[in-house]
Amino acid sequence: MMALEIKNLLITYSHKNQTTTAVDHVSFSIPEGEFFGLIGPNGAGKTSIISAITSLVSHQAGEISVFGHHAGSVEAKRLVGYVPQGLVGYGFFNVNEILQFTSGYFGIKNNQKKIDELLERLQLTSYKYKLVSQLSGGLKRRMLIAKSLLHSPKILLLDEPSAGVDVELRTILWNFATELNDSGMTILLTTHYLEEADRLCKRVAIMNKGKILALDKTDRIKTQMGYSTLEEAFLKLIKQGALSV
């Protein structure tokens, strides 16, 4: 079954009588259980696609479905876990309170066991009653991941999850994401870290200026371009002028 299907997606933004195309009629699909990566420079359209899946931005043309449900519908939202790129402050609430509130958004009562399991797995147990405003950026990132998993989603959207975190935390996140995927969860990852995509993703789409330049199995892209790492293949596209950074 297809976890995610995107057909002919067009996203534009208008500002001061000027229209910018962020996503230019992009199509791709992700089967259930796959670890899929969207990579590309800033402005490639990666976050816009994630935002359209979660209905945070509207699209001007095309279709998005999540396990057969129209993106933005209640059914689709229950199936999606989302870790945003930006870090959000939650005022004077502590970590446990935020996770309890989020559980309530999905109609889940008495979810403390699940909360505690996620806190332990993400090494947040000792910060359970810390105010979110007192956490470092890396700890807030872990809390956002825990928050995205409280309702046991079937597809997880990770938008630059390891941006700005140290090597130790990045490794923790990589290992946790791999375990989730091994358990059957579908994952869509956007990242600037080519090593991250190379290590985690079974397939990748390389994007630039709203278009997909290459989409295939990670190993096949490297082989076709004659390189051993995704980074080398990416740099070749830049040298050819296909990518601009």
Side-chain angles (χ1 to χ4, degrees):
M1 183 177 186
M2 287 298 166
L4 177 69
E5 290 186 274
I6 293 178
K7 299 178 181 178
N8 202 33
L9 184 66
L10 173 68
I11 301 174
T12 62
Y13 300 110
S14 297
H15 180 66
K16 294 183 178 179
N17 297 320
Q18 291 186 336
T19 300
T20 301
T21 300
V23 180
D24 192 356
H25 298 95
V26 162
S27 299
F28 66 90
S29 59
I30 303 175
E32 184 175 4
E34 187 174 59
F35 205 132
F36 186 90
L38 283 175
I39 62 176
N42 288 328
K46 307 183 301 296
T47 295
S48 291
I49 290 175
I50 294 282
S51 299
I53 296 169
T54 57
S55 69
L56 291 174
V57 302
S58 59
H59 52 284
Q60 286 63 51
E63 300 177 3
I64 307 173
S65 63
V66 179
F67 287 93
H69 301 286
H70 176 69
S73 66
V74 172
E75 293 83 1
K77 289 181 177 180
R78 289 185 180 278
L79 295 170
V80 173
Y82 171 49
V83 181
Q85 186 177 139
L87 298 176
V88 182
Y90 290 95
F92 298 101
F93 296 111
N94 65 42
V95 171
N96 196 67
E97 287 172 331
I98 290 298
L99 297 180
Q100 287 180 331
F101 295 157
T102 302
S103 297
Y105 295 156
F106 290 94
I108 306 172
K109 299 180 180 180
N110 303 317
N111 204 29
Q112 193 61 52
K113 181 179 179 181
K114 178 76 170 184
I115 290 172
D116 289 340
E117 289 174 354
L118 289 169
L119 290 175
E120 181 176 358
R121 183 61 191 83
L122 290 163
Q123 300 182 20
L124 283 171
T125 301
S126 60
Y127 301 95
K128 181 176 180 178
Y129 298 112
K130 278 275 189 181
L131 297 180
V132 176
S133 59
Q134 296 175 333
L135 300 182
S136 67
L139 292 172
K140 287 180 180 178
R141 184 80 64 187
R142 292 190 225 180
M143 187 201 71
L144 289 175
I145 292 174
K147 187 169 174 279
S148 73
L149 296 170
L150 288 168
H151 60 296
S152 302
K154 295 185 68 175
I155 180 170
L156 181 63
L157 310 178
L158 300 174
D159 194 6
E160 303 280 357
S162 57
V165 303
D166 58 40
V167 174
E168 181 182 3
L169 176 53
R170 193 175 302 163
T171 301
I172 292 172
L173 297 180
W174 286 1
N175 291 340
F176 189 42
T178 299
E179 288 180 16
L180 290 172
N181 183 240
D182 288 343
S183 71
M185 183 174 290
T186 308
I187 299 179
L188 171 57
L189 167 76
T190 76
T191 182
H192 287 298
Y193 295 107
L194 299 178
E195 178 191 357
E196 185 169 61
D198 208 347
R199 172 174 171 174
L200 298 175
C201 300
K202 298 171 185 175
R203 286 193 306 147
V204 296
I206 299 176
M207 293 191 66
N208 189 49
K209 296 181 179 178
K211 293 181 178 291
I212 291 178
L213 303 181
L215 195 165
D216 209 331
K217 291 183 179 179
T218 309
D219 289 340
R220 190 174 297 165
I221 287 178
K222 293 185 291 185
T223 300
Q224 289 176 345
M225 300 188 71
Y227 291 105
S228 59
T229 70
L230 193 58
E231 182 173 11
E232 290 173 317
F234 190 83
L235 291 174
K236 182 178 180 179
L237 287 172
I238 293 175
K239 188 175 181 180
Q240 292 174 339
L243 285 170
S244 58
V245 292

